[in-house]
Each structure stands twice: as C-alpha cells, then as structure tokens.
C-alpha cells in the first residue's frame, strides 16, 4: 500500500455510458494493487475546501502502475461532476491507496468463479475478469458474470464484455435488465432472484463440469442488492466463507 496522498496524471478519459466514464491514472510514485481493491480520490478547491471519495479499481493488476477508475455521474455530488465536466487528460489528481483486503481476488487454479454485479458494482468485478485473462488463467478458472442493469444503455463495459464472452469458452456473461428491455432483447428480464442465481450456478457447472475446487462468489452493488444475492448464494449451497461482498450507498459521489 502506498501510504499517504500522492499525485496521479490522467492519461485518458473514456466514456462508457451516458453517465459513466473511465479515467486512466498514472501515479507519479508507482502503484501496485490487487483485483477488488479501491483508491481514495481527493479534490481541493482554491479556498482550501476538500472533498474525497472512494472508487473501485477497474483495471487488471498486471497493468500497474496504471490504475483505471470508472465513475458514475451523480449531479448532486461533490466529486463525480468534477470528473465528468472538468477533468481532462494531463490533469493531476490526488489519490491514496490501494485500500481493501477481504474483497480482493487472486487468480489461482482449482476454483470456480461466480461474479454478481448490480449497476456500477461491475467495476471491481471487471478488474477480476481482466486479471483472470491477463494472468493467463482463463482456461483454468471457469467464470460466470451475472450483471444486473436498469436498461441496455446502462450496461457498463458492454462491448468489452461481449468480446470477452465471445472469445472465452470458459466464461459466460449473463445480463438481466430490470426496468426496460428493448425489442429483440435475449437476456434476462428481472431483478436478480434465487432462480437467476441458480441459472448462473448451473451455467458455471456447464462450462467445465470436471473443474476442481470450490465456487467462490463475489457480489458488488447497492446494499439491498448485495444482501439479497448473498442470501441466495447461501441458499444454493455456496459456503459463507466463499462469499465476498462489497456494497455502496447513495454517498458514493
């Protein structure tokens, strides 16, 4: 962990959806992290007022020292509007971290990976999927992502997830939309419930029925979403010690 605050240069800005952008940061002093960790970001106004927020890391650890954070715009927030409306490449941002231990994941063989994300809860799970690929573990770790979004336009990393799903026979990406489904939508059409979780686990088994090791489950999203999904996971037989959760509330701005 890099103690204290230090500067990072914004190397690139990428729009993911209408209200979500990814910011590629290059820390001045180098940076190492694990999939599932987050960083703190601090902004300082000319009058000295400071605001800080925590953001999950989206990039793979193998791509360090670059660290990507994906930020959803909340118009009444103190930090996310600054990133969306002001920050440009070559700007410098104060960061601190990496932070977080229980939700981290290291790609190792002899396990099955179930990732369940709601909304922007996809961000640390994307770091895990990218890490799985970058570490050369795609063929050794069957993985399923069950991703819940409000509408098709709210799906973050849509193109990359589609490409991953198409290129990796040992990965399945399952989408469900909770508010509106466009004509021709072939994915799921409701909130994540125990039956969708059962479907995800059956899909995971179908990927590699002879894979050894336990199923580990990482869940990230709004608090109620995480609590419900964790309960479904236990109900379906995943041992509590193999369930890791990360939740966020309305203050993550």
């Amino acid at each position: 962990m890099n103690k204290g605050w230090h500067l990072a240069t914004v190397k690139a800005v990428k729009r993911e959806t209408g209200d979500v952008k990814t910011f590629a940061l290059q820390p001045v002093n180098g940076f190492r992290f694990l999939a599932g960790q987050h960083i703190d970001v601090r902004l300082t106004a000319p009058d000295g007022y400071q605001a800080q927020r925590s953001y999950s890391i989206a990039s793979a650890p193998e791509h360090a020292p670059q660290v990507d954070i994906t930020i959803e715009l909340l118009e009444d927030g103190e930090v996310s509007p600054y990133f969306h409306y002001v920050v440009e490449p070559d700007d410098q941002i104060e960061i601190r971290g990496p932070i977080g231990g229980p939700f981290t994941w290291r790609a190792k063989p002899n396990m099955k990976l179930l990732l369940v994300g709601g909304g922007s809860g996809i961000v640390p799970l994307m770091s895990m999927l990218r890490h799985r690929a970058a570490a050369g573990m795609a063929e050794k770790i069957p993985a399923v992502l069950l991703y819940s979004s409000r509408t098709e336009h709210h799906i973050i990393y849509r193109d990359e997830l589609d490409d991953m799903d198409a290129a990796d026979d040992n990965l399945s990406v399952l989408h469900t939309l909770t508010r509106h489904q466009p004509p021709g939508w072939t994915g799921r059409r409701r909130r994540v419930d125990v039956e969708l979780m059962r479907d995800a686990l059956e899909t995971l088994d179908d990927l590699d029925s002879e894979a050894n090791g336990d199923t580990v489950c990482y869940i990230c999203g709004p608090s109620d979403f995480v609590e419900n999904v964790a309960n479904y996971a236990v109900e379906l037989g995943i041992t509590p010690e193999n369930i890791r959760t990360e939740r966020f509330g309305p203050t993550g701005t």
Side-chain angles (χ1 to χ4, degrees):
M1 178 175 179
N2 298 311
K3 296 181 179 179
W5 294 95
H6 52 285
L7 291 175
T9 301
V10 179
K11 304 301 292 184
V13 179
K14 178 185 178 183
R15 180 172 294 280
E16 303 287 356
T17 72
D19 57 0
V20 176
K21 290 183 178 181
T22 292
F23 300 84
L25 308 178
Q26 188 81 14
V28 173
N29 297 328
F31 203 81
R32 293 291 182 270
F33 60 90
L34 299 175
Q37 289 188 303
H38 60 274
I39 62 171
D40 289 338
V41 172
R42 182 170 69 181
L43 305 178
T44 303
D47 62 2
Y49 175 78
Q50 293 182 327
Q52 68 183 63
R53 294 292 184 271
S54 295
Y55 292 110
S56 294
I57 297 171
S59 47
E62 289 77 8
H63 293 165
Q66 178 174 306
V67 54
D68 295 354
I69 55 175
T70 300
I71 300 178
E72 181 179 7
L73 172 65
L74 298 178
E75 292 288 358
D76 58 351
E78 289 186 312
V79 175
S80 64
Y82 180 84
F83 270 89
H84 273 255
Y85 298 135
V86 179
V87 170
E88 296 179 346
D90 297 328
D91 287 350
Q92 289 196 315
I93 302 293
E94 280 190 293
I95 68 171
R96 178 176 63 185
I99 300 166
F103 198 70
T104 57
W105 181 68
R106 294 176 174 87
K108 298 178 180 179
N110 298 320
M111 69 171 66
K112 299 179 181 180
L113 181 63
L114 175 61
L115 307 176
V116 188
S120 58
I122 184 63
V123 178
L125 308 183
M126 195 63 177
S127 176
M128 296 175 189
L129 286 179
R130 289 166 169 166
H131 168 47
R132 172 179 169 273
M137 289 290 176
E139 294 183 358
K140 299 179 180 179
I141 304 175
V144 167
L145 169 66
L146 175 57
Y147 182 19
S148 176
S149 307
R150 288 175 300 211
T151 73
E152 187 176 29
H153 298 297
H154 288 91
I155 299 175
I156 305 171
Y157 315 124
R158 175 67 184 275
D159 290 343
E160 185 175 355
L161 287 173
D162 286 349
D163 290 343
M164 282 182 167
D165 195 15
D168 185 348
D169 292 337
N170 218 20
L171 168 69
S172 183
V173 178
L174 309 178
H175 290 283
T176 187
L177 302 182
T178 62
R179 293 190 183 177
H180 177 264
Q181 301 83 30
W185 174 254
T186 58
R188 285 73 179 166
R189 296 171 173 264
R190 62 186 189 274
R191 295 181 184 277
V192 175
D193 56 20
V194 69
E195 291 306 318
L196 282 186
M197 285 289 289
R198 192 190 311 276
D199 184 21
L201 282 169
E202 291 175 353
T203 301
L204 186 59
D205 286 339
D206 290 343
L207 288 174
D208 189 348
S209 60
E210 298 181 358
N212 296 319
D214 293 336
T215 296
V216 293
C217 180
Y218 286 79
I219 308 163
C220 187
S223 292
D224 289 347
F225 172 91
V226 170
E227 182 176 353
N228 290 334
V229 173
N231 289 334
Y232 302 147
V234 172
E235 181 179 341
L236 293 170
I238 301 178
T239 57
E241 58 266 29
N242 285 337
I243 299 171
R244 302 286 184 269
T245 62
E246 182 115 306
R247 62 195 70 203
F248 56 80
T251 58
T253 59

